[in-house]
Each structure stands twice: as structure tokens, then as C-alpha cells.
Amino acid sequence: KQEVTQIPAALSVPEGENLVLNCSFTDSAIYNLQWFRQDPGKGLTSLLLIQSSQREQTSGRLNASLDKSSGRSTLYIAASQPGDSATYLCAVIPTGNQFYFGTGTSLTVIP
Amino acid sequence: KAGVTQTPRYLIKTRGQQVTLSCSPISGHRSVSWYQQTPGQGLQFLFEYFSETQRNKGNFPGRFSGRQFSNSRSEMNVSTLELGDSALYLCASSQTAGADTQYFGPGTRLTVL
């Protein structure tokens, strides 16, 4: 069974700092990996989707990388802002199957 | 284009009752997945429906069931509610089945007393 771990569980940074969130998974036979953010009491918002043949994806201040061989993905957030405060979740998808979610990283950006 | 909608947004039930939650996917999306989110277990996959057929099912007891209608709207039902069923239930839709990008609704907060 696929196990997905996110470290750290919580992170607090001052506004303007660059930061990296980590996601590791146990089975490298994945179809793709997706990063989401979740605001308190809300649903999930898709940030980036990386297909297994890709190494990274970028959207604005966000950059996600994928290393299947080592079972790792990172989400890089540049020039963090208070509005980035949320819980960030990664999800891996085995070939044609369900999503397996990590436990999330709770990010607080201090003004 | 309207997003994924879920009704109701909040529910309070007592143990032993049953509950039905509804999800309307984004127009044109044919796949609907359901997840349970709790502080202790995180996000766990319940089931996925595509074209009215259940494609995948997570590791949940038979008290949890679902269905999908011809217009892609989906319902999930939980019978004989237990305290541990208190959770945020999230629905996600995608254009195709499997590993396509999923778009989530706001969730239904179920509290079992």
C-alpha cells in the first residue's frame, strides 16, 4: 500500500521568505502527483499536477519537482505572503487508481 | 463555469441514524470521488464513480455506500452512524476516470452525537 509522508507537519516563516515543503512516497510506480492547498474548514484547491514523465511544474511563485526514483517531491514557494498561509497536501496516484494523500504541512506566513 | 457543489454543508445526526450527502460535479465532468477527512486519519479515499459505475473503493465498511446518476451527480450514504463517522466529507470531480486532475467541493461537515 502506498504511504505518503509530508515533512514538516507545521512551518512558520516571516513574510518574503522562500520555503520548501517535502513529500515522500513509498511506491515509485505512480501515474502522477498533485499538490493542493486547503484553507481552514474548506475544500482543496489544486495547485500543480506533475505527470510521471515530468520532472517539474511551475505556476507563478510555485514550483513543484518530482523524483520518482527516490520517491520524493518538493513544493517551492518563492517570496511567501500571508495569503499563502494554509495546509498544503500532496497526493500520489498509482497507475489508474485512487489518490493517496499525505498528512499535510500547515504553513503560517507571519506579516 | 460553476465549481463542485456539495449539499448540505453542515449536518448533525445522532448515533444509529443514516445520512445522505450530495455532490454535483463540474459541468462535463463524469468522474466523482468521495473522501473522508478527519484530524487523526487525514484524507482517506472512499470511492470513485465514473459513468454511473463504481470504479474503485477504499477500505471502509459496507455502511458507506454511494451511487452516481446519469447526469453525473453523486450521492453517498452512511447507515447506522457511529461517533467516529464525524468528519469532513469531500467530493471531487474530474473529466475522466483515474488520475486526471481533481477539483474539490467545499465539503459537508458531519457531526455525529
Side-chain angles (χ1 to χ4, degrees):
Chain A
K1 181 192 168 189
Q2 180 75 261
E3 300 283 345
V4 184
T5 305
Q6 291 186 246
I7 295 173
L11 181 63
S12 184
V13 301
E15 182 178 0
E17 193 162 294
N18 302 326
L19 59 101
V20 174
L21 307 181
N22 297 293
C23 172
S24 60
F25 45 94
T26 54
D27 188 346
S28 62
I30 66 170
Y31 190 73
N32 60 37
L33 182 146
Q34 193 165 358
W35 282 93
F36 296 87
R37 71 172 276 168
Q38 185 175 30
D39 294 285
K42 303 283 183 65
L44 277 65
T45 301
S46 177
L47 297 174
L48 290 164
L49 173 76
I50 310 176
Q51 295 182 349
S52 62
S53 58
Q54 299 174 317
R55 298 281 294 183
E56 64 179 291
Q57 280 284 350
T58 298
S59 176
R61 295 182 294 108
L62 305 179
N63 175 276
S65 67
L66 174 63
D67 184 343
K68 279 178 50 179
S69 61
S70 66
R72 297 175 67 176
S73 175
T74 60
L75 178 67
Y76 174 83
I77 303 177
S80 58
Q81 303 170 357
D84 295 331
S85 298
T87 295
Y88 290 80
L89 296 145
C90 72
V92 299
I93 305 92
T95 306
N97 210 324
Q98 66 185 60
F99 280 53
Y100 288 88
F101 280 86
T103 48
T105 294
S106 177
L107 172 65
T108 302
V109 180
I110 304 167
Chain B
K1 190 184 268 191
V4 178
T5 58
Q6 293 186 244
T7 57
R9 292 293 312 279
Y10 302 92
L11 266 178
I12 299 176
K13 293 286 188 179
T14 56
R15 280 181 296 174
Q17 288 188 307
Q18 78 165 28
V19 66
T20 299
L21 313 181
S22 180
C23 172
S24 293
I26 292 172
S27 177
H29 286 194
R30 296 167 61 193
S31 173
V32 173
S33 298
W34 288 89
Y35 296 85
Q36 181 195 66
Q37 187 176 32
T38 59
Q41 299 296 318
L43 264 161
Q44 293 185 288
F45 172 78
L46 280 157
F47 25 67
E48 178 192 11
Y49 287 87
F50 180 76
S51 293
E52 302 178 67
T53 301
Q54 187 181 85
R55 283 190 73 249
N56 286 303
K57 189 176 193 303
N59 189 26
F60 278 81
R63 300 185 297 107
F64 292 81
S65 63
R67 59 178 176 168
Q68 186 180 35
F69 301 95
S70 58
N71 62 358
S72 294
R73 189 177 70 86
S74 177
E75 289 181 346
M76 69 162 281
N77 184 76
V78 187
S79 62
T80 318
L81 284 166
E82 301 177 359
L83 295 179
D85 297 333
S86 294
L88 180 67
Y89 290 88
L90 292 163
C91 160
S93 78
S94 58
Q95 286 189 318
T96 60
D100 197 3
T101 301
Q102 295 199 333
Y103 298 88
F104 281 77
T108 294
R109 172 74 62 184
L110 172 64
T111 302
V112 182
L113 303 176

